[in-house]
Amino acid sequence: MKRTINWKRIGIAVIIGILFLAILVKCNQFEKTELISTKGQNYEKAVVTKITRDNRAEDGKRYGTQEVKVKIKSGTLKGKVVTAVNPDGSLFGAECKVGTKVIVIVNQSGKNVSATVYSQDRTMAIYGFVLIFAAVVCAIGGKKGVQAIASLVFAFVCIIYLMFPLIYQGYSAIWLAVIVSVLTTIITLGLLGGFTSKTVSAIIGTTCGVAIAAIAAILFGKAAGITGYNVSDIETLNFVGQNTQIKIGQLLFAGIIISALGAVMDVGMSIASTIQEIHETDPTLSKERLFLSGIHVGRDMMGTMTNTLIFAYVGGSMTTLITNYAYNLPYQQLANSYVMGIEIMQGLSGSLGVVLTVPITAFVAVFLVKRKQKD
């Protein structure tokens, strides 16, 4: 059976896409405040052609700095060979050998050029793993996999080109996080499930769950005396806040909203799909029975999803937690530190959003499928 093309729907999608692109362009039409001067300084790709002075000691370890010759592969100095200093550090420098691809900081003043090895060139490794990830998702997921990648790209576009620019211009980070979450949820679930009653219930449940996570985080912060100014990098953030319109105090809570979105969305869609499937299998089931079925499925998901969030936060703070463990800090000091309080707030508020998404989505899904049955 030949499928007809719905030109009206395509036209609406194109118009919405053009309007969205216009909004993105408008949001990014501003100038950033120069926080540090980078005049005459550029980060360029290069390849090591010669080791002119090594810093390897007899014990096999490197100390001090290494001096190398590098051939610039990008920028205005492309093709030129310059001498570069390779510092021995954990955050800067690289394990240089002839042929090693690196990123160098090039400082140019007139005809004088100096270079410092910043790091190994990881560009191809990043691109390669991204392509492998996309290929695996598309190969296993088929059309759904392609749609999942498209929704992921859309989410990153919203965050980088919509949320960040507006936060920079002084808009509320919390409200922008909520708006981006809703937009991402609509597009992601719409692509994966089509705009059906199932998708609508999942979108409503996800939106409510994310909002609950945000409210829980704010209330926890007020009760525990935690604000967005208690984060570890507050000195840098204060400097940024003094020179821009960014509302620094809201960034912590906006981050909690975004980080909880994935797990909440997963739960919302799973519950809505389950209720839809059960209803189609046995349309005679009552609202109460359908609702309880959704709750029963949700109970199994609560444990795994709350674990997902808790483990994600623990994994992200592993170095801090191990440092605290190694110093054998007293319980009263550890439990009442800002770092620990923030981690607990993030994990519990996100998990609370996941848990309450289950009954909300189940209720909305049952209401929509039963109303559709009456129609």
Side-chain angles (χ1 to χ4, degrees):
M1 182 176 170
K2 192 174 181 181
R3 187 177 292 181
T4 58
I5 299 175
N6 192 329
W7 292 108
K8 182 179 179 180
R9 181 176 294 180
I10 293 174
I12 292 173
V14 170
I15 292 172
I16 292 175
I18 293 173
L19 288 175
F20 181 70
L21 288 175
I23 291 172
L24 292 184
V25 172
K26 180 65 177 178
C27 289
N28 287 272
Q29 290 181 339
F30 66 95
E31 290 187 9
K32 289 186 178 179
T33 303
E34 188 177 28
L35 299 178
I36 56 173
S37 177
T38 56
K39 187 177 181 180
Q41 184 184 87
N42 296 295
Y43 287 77
E44 305 293 356
K45 292 186 176 185
V47 61
V48 177
T49 58
K50 185 179 180 181
I51 308 295
T52 55
R53 188 181 75 242
D54 209 348
N55 59 343
R56 189 181 294 277
E58 293 181 0
D59 60 2
K61 296 181 179 180
R62 296 186 182 278
Y63 301 94
T65 59
Q66 187 184 45
E67 188 177 88
V68 298
K69 292 281 188 181
V70 297
K71 186 175 183 180
I72 308 297
K73 292 292 185 178
S74 64
T76 56
L77 298 176
K78 183 177 180 179
K80 187 173 182 179
V81 176
V82 299
T83 300
V85 174
N86 179 30
D88 176 48
S90 300
L91 298 178
F92 301 101
E95 186 75 20
C96 285
K97 300 175 183 177
V98 174
T100 301
K101 295 180 180 180
V102 295
I103 300 295
V104 293
I105 305 173
V106 179
N107 292 283
Q108 189 172 10
S109 179
K111 294 183 178 181
N112 297 320
V113 177
S114 63
T116 303
V117 175
Y118 173 68
S119 72
Q120 180 181 333
D121 186 359
R122 304 182 180 94
T123 309
M124 293 310 297
I126 294 172
Y127 292 161
F129 272 94
V130 168
L131 287 175
I132 291 171
F133 167 75
V136 170
V137 171
C138 293
I140 296 176
K143 182 180 178 181
K144 294 288 185 181
V146 175
Q147 292 170 339
I149 295 297
S151 65
L152 187 61
V153 171
F154 177 81
F156 274 98
V157 168
C158 284
I159 292 171
I160 296 172
Y161 296 104
L162 179 65
M163 182 176 171
F164 286 177
L166 291 179
I167 287 176
Y168 187 89
Q169 294 173 63
Y171 291 89
S172 170
I174 294 175
W175 279 109
L176 283 170
V178 172
I179 291 170
V180 167
S181 297
V182 172
L183 281 175
T184 303
T185 301
I186 292 172
I187 296 300
T188 301
L189 299 184
L191 284 173
L192 295 176
F195 290 98
T196 61
S197 59
K198 175 182 69 175
T199 304
V200 172
S201 58
I203 290 171
I204 294 173
T206 300
T207 303
C208 291
V210 169
I212 289 169
I215 294 170
I218 293 171
L219 293 177
F220 184 100
K222 288 185 178 297
I226 296 174
T227 70
Y229 293 94
N230 302 131
V231 292
S232 57
D233 52 352
I234 189 57
E235 298 297 333
T236 302
L237 287 173
N238 276 334
F239 175 73
V240 172
Q242 290 166 4
N243 293 277
T244 66
Q245 300 180 60
I246 298 175
K247 293 180 171 63
I248 301 300
Q250 297 187 11
L251 297 181
L252 172 63
F253 302 101
I256 292 173
I257 295 170
I258 296 297
S259 60
L261 176 60
V264 174
M265 191 189 303
D266 190 7
V267 170
M269 191 59 174
S270 297
I271 298 299
S273 297
T274 299
I275 290 177
Q276 180 75 29
E277 194 71 27
I278 293 173
H279 173 70
E280 290 179 356
T281 303
D282 187 359
T284 62
L285 287 177
S286 65
K287 291 182 179 180
E288 292 76 12
R289 189 69 189 87
L290 273 177
F291 179 77
L292 288 175
S293 297
I295 294 296
H296 291 157
V297 173
R299 284 172 180 168
D300 293 332
M301 300 185 64
M302 287 178 191
T304 56
M305 283 302 161
T306 53
N307 283 348
T308 298
L309 287 174
I310 298 295
F311 289 154
Y313 289 125
V314 170
S317 305
M318 184 63 72
T319 54
T320 302
L321 295 174
I322 289 296
T323 301
N324 292 338
Y325 178 81
Y327 275 99
N328 197 26
L329 299 180
Y331 171 76
Q332 295 294 354
Q333 178 185 355
L334 188 61
N336 292 283
S337 66
Y338 281 119
V339 173
M340 188 59 64
I342 289 172
E343 294 303 322
I344 293 172
M345 177 178 71
Q346 290 177 324
L348 294 184
S349 59
S351 298
L352 188 61
V354 167
V355 171
L356 292 180
T357 298
V358 173
I360 294 172
T361 306
F363 177 82
V364 175
V366 169
F367 173 78
L368 291 179
V369 295
K370 285 299 183 181
R371 190 184 70 169
K372 184 178 180 182
Q373 186 180 35
K374 290 180 180 179
D375 295 340

